[in-house]
Amino acid sequence: LGIIYSVGPYLLPDLVPALKKLAPGMPLEIEENITANLDTLLRNGKLDAIIIALPFGDGGIITRPLYDEPFEVVVSNEHHWAGRRSIRAQELSAEKVLLLDSGHCFSNQVAEACPELSRKGADIQHGTSLETIRNMVASGLGITVLPASANSARYRSKLLQVIPFTKPVPARRIALAWRKSFARDQAIEVLAKAIGQTRVTGIKH
């Protein structure tokens, strides 16, 4: 099973125990990577299925939507937005925004949701992982946008405030993808069922 970096740490702690209960005899190997690399590994038969964000795939790939996940703004307690109830996507362009390196599809999704971030002169700094970025925000280096699953109680910091977007709330759709030629339908079904049983904060199955 392949999984993108911005999903893996937040879904796997709930997914692996659910899978072990549903299919104790099924071997499980997990590969975290960026979408482009997971796509190649899937097509080469090195991975049986991958968890990615839509849109994805072509005629040779089947995708099955799993859940929708909203994005949220994260700022330090010292930031002038710390007391805000909500943020409009257009407001981000006035701030220093920390995002994942451009190879990560999550950065592209945030840029699509907040087109002002793509304009020339927007103040964007890149980090290598969501956890690195979270720590950079906590130390006052800027603000960020994280998927809701990354803001569950397990990961929250006392140094940070999580603020929802105003409607329409930017979001992404996470899906399972596999090759049309992959014959083990049962493995796909049990994987989808296990993901459906996870209780991850912020995601709507």
Side-chain angles (χ1 to χ4, degrees), residues 69-72 87-92 99 105-118 145 165-166 168-172:
E69 179 173 36
F71 300 161
E72 296 171 329
I87 302 291
R88 295 195 319 279
Q90 302 90 299
E91 294 181 84
L92 293 184
L99 294 176
C105 61
F106 183 65
S107 293
N108 306 336
Q109 291 155 12
V110 173
E112 277 171 32
C114 315
E116 291 80 3
L117 294 179
S118 304
V145 175
F165 279 101
T166 53
V169 176
R172 62 179 179 175

Side-chain angles (χ1 to χ4, degrees), residues 39-47 179:
D39 185 18
T40 303
L41 292 166
L42 182 68
R43 290 172 194 279
N44 291 348
K46 299 272 183 357
L47 291 171
R179 296 180 306 284

